[in-house]
Amino acid sequence: MKVRNFSIIAHIDHGKSTLADRLLHATSAVDERTGRAQMLDSMDLERERGITIKSSAVTVMHEYRGETYELNFIDTPGHVDFTYEVSRALTACEGAILVVDSTQGVQAQTVANAYLAIENNLELIPVINKIDLPAADPDGVSMEIEHVLGLPAEDAIYVSAKTGQGIPELLDAICEKLPDPAPSMGDKLRALIFDSHYDDYRGVVVFVRVFDGSISVGDKIRMMGTGRTFTVTELGRYTPFAQKLKTLGQSEVGYMVAAIKTLGDVRVGDTVTLEYDPAPEPMPGYKEPKQMVFCDFYPSSGDDEGGKRSDFESLREAVERLHLNDASFTFEVQHSEALGFGFRCGFLGLLHMDIVQERLEREGGVAIVQTAPTVSYIVDLNDGSTLEIQNPADLPDMSRVKAIREPIVKIEIICPVENIGDLMRLADSRRGSFRGQRFVSETRQILDYQLPLAEIIYDFYDKLKSITRGYGTMDYEITGYEVENLVKVEILINGEPVDALSIICHRSGAEGRSRAILAKLRKQIDRHQFEIPLQAAIGGKIIARETIKALRKNVTAKCYGGDITRKRKLLEKQKEGKKRMKNIGSVNIPQEAFMAVLEQEG
């Protein structure tokens, strides 16, 4: 039996999951009764948002020219924040189907994912999807693919994942054009772990691609990275329903259960080999992803210390479980005076952060307080040493700081021609520098800019979508760190600095940004019995202030007449009481106040 291992890659919302559903139907893996829309999107979150978050590996059979082919395919995410999922999937494959929407054409992630596949030396089959729509222009889009990516326009296959048109031709092309798996480098087992998740009853379920040798139920295996040994109790593959097997052979993809109870025993990218007949060296694995965005997660608990500790342990367990399923975010223990113990987490982007928080709350059953996201900075000190920080609170005293360097990204925006002027103004307002302009077609162009990462992680993508009415797309990659005139802005509430609200920003925008944050905080924090000053400071200099007025009781209501000195005496007494209350009073800060730092004006 011949084997074909391939991934389905595309920009977000170009029809990958629908195409995967259609391939399952066309190969009789599912029927009308057992099938459903977005078959491979198993999470409720994926189905609600209509996006793919996790890659899904499936095995189906197809007859071509009298031979049976085993097709192992992986449906991958399309958003830029989940590129790490895509890169892991591509490592387990020899080919890829590049899906492009015939109504939208080549988009930013189409280009990025295509280059990712080319770097991995994969054979690409361009597929033009949604040809049944009235606005479809498959010929124009295939010429775009040739112009931007260099793939011949005549090689593109026109399909409609919705109606099934062109699906048989695509299946035949997969069997004909995609290469056979690379021959085995030896007979000793080497299987690459490309994904895993935790099951309450079976322990850690590991997804592997066997490159050399074979693995059978009952084999004693060793993880070459961690050195731990286990006995295989179950092997199988998804078709898309779990199907148990006795053996996984060379070039096959499947899952493995080996009573692995400790989450730290499995690492994505590790190599599995046999304990008594080990391979001489492990597989290359994966390049570690570079986290772009950082924020703190704290348990949203009651006031009692015992409750806080148990909530923190619940959060720790939820974070460790999710890390097993999504290895692209990092976490370390963090302590805040205002919020207690929590975790400092690193993410690949803002959507990734949002998805991780929602998965922790749903799958881990924990309520979370989240601080505003930041990026990492490199601080050059006067003594010649350097320091990398992800939290403004970690910035050393400015008298010791020689310079602060911030991450710079190269951003590629694909947009309609009529929106170029507005997008240039947006990029210029975010300290962007123009690098070039390229044509995709008569109606669309590519803009190349360099921007500080801190300027795009908040609302840049939302504004881009708004300006282009949803037709603009972007892709970015970090290029290095550059020295800028950056300052740390501390937010003081009732005279006390709150670390979780501190920000690092460019000096030119510090005052405007501070005023916007304080205005939002004034609306979010409830009024107390005493007046609360809100201040923003750079070092010892106050640059902005707002005041939350005190709740005032009318103490003179019972004075129905008489001398004015009686009223004055009561007001003076109230004034003294408020002053004393302010000295000992504490201010309750709600979760919404921490998120107010997120929103930028402009």
Side-chain angles (χ1 to χ4, degrees), residues 1-43:
M1 186 188 299
K2 293 192 174 181
V3 178
R4 294 289 183 266
N5 296 311
F6 63 95
S7 284
I8 306 175
I9 57 175
H11 187 84
I12 192 167
D13 202 30
H14 277 208
K16 295 179 303 301
S17 297
T18 311
L19 182 64
D21 290 348
R22 191 55 60 188
L23 291 176
L24 292 175
H25 282 284
T27 53
S28 304
V30 295
D31 53 31
E32 292 300 326
R33 185 175 62 83
T34 55
R36 61 176 184 178
Q38 287 178 265
M39 187 80 189
L40 301 186
D41 291 345
S42 55
M43 277 188 274

Side-chain angles (χ1 to χ4, degrees), residues 383-403:
D383 60 6
S385 61
T386 60
L387 188 68
E388 185 172 352
I389 63 164
Q390 287 97 30
N391 192 341
D394 298 335
L395 189 67
D397 188 84
M398 291 306 290
S399 61
R400 295 174 52 209
V401 175
K402 182 181 177 184

Side-chain angles (χ1 to χ4, degrees), residues 420-441:
I420 284 175
D422 291 332
L423 287 174
M424 283 182 162
R425 276 190 290 276
L426 173 65
D428 291 341
S429 71
R430 299 299 172 87
R431 296 190 283 133
S433 59
F434 180 70
R435 285 289 180 265
Q437 192 171 344
R438 289 172 283 152
F439 287 87
V440 178
S441 66

Side-chain angles (χ1 to χ4, degrees), residues 62 89 116 120 191 200 321 393 435 440 470 514 539 589 598:
H62 178 61
L116 209 56
N120 282 277
D200 286 332
R321 279 196 182 195
R435 285 289 180 265
V440 178
S514 301
I589 308 170
L598 256 175

Side-chain angles (χ1 to χ4, degrees), residues 304-329:
D304 60 300
E305 277 302 308
K308 263 187 187 175
R309 272 196 296 275
S310 65
D311 282 353
F312 173 69
E313 289 305 320
S314 300
L315 179 59
R316 181 199 291 276
E317 190 177 317
V319 167
E320 286 177 349
R321 279 196 182 195
L322 185 56
H323 183 66
L324 181 73
N325 191 238
D326 181 359
S328 57
F329 82 95

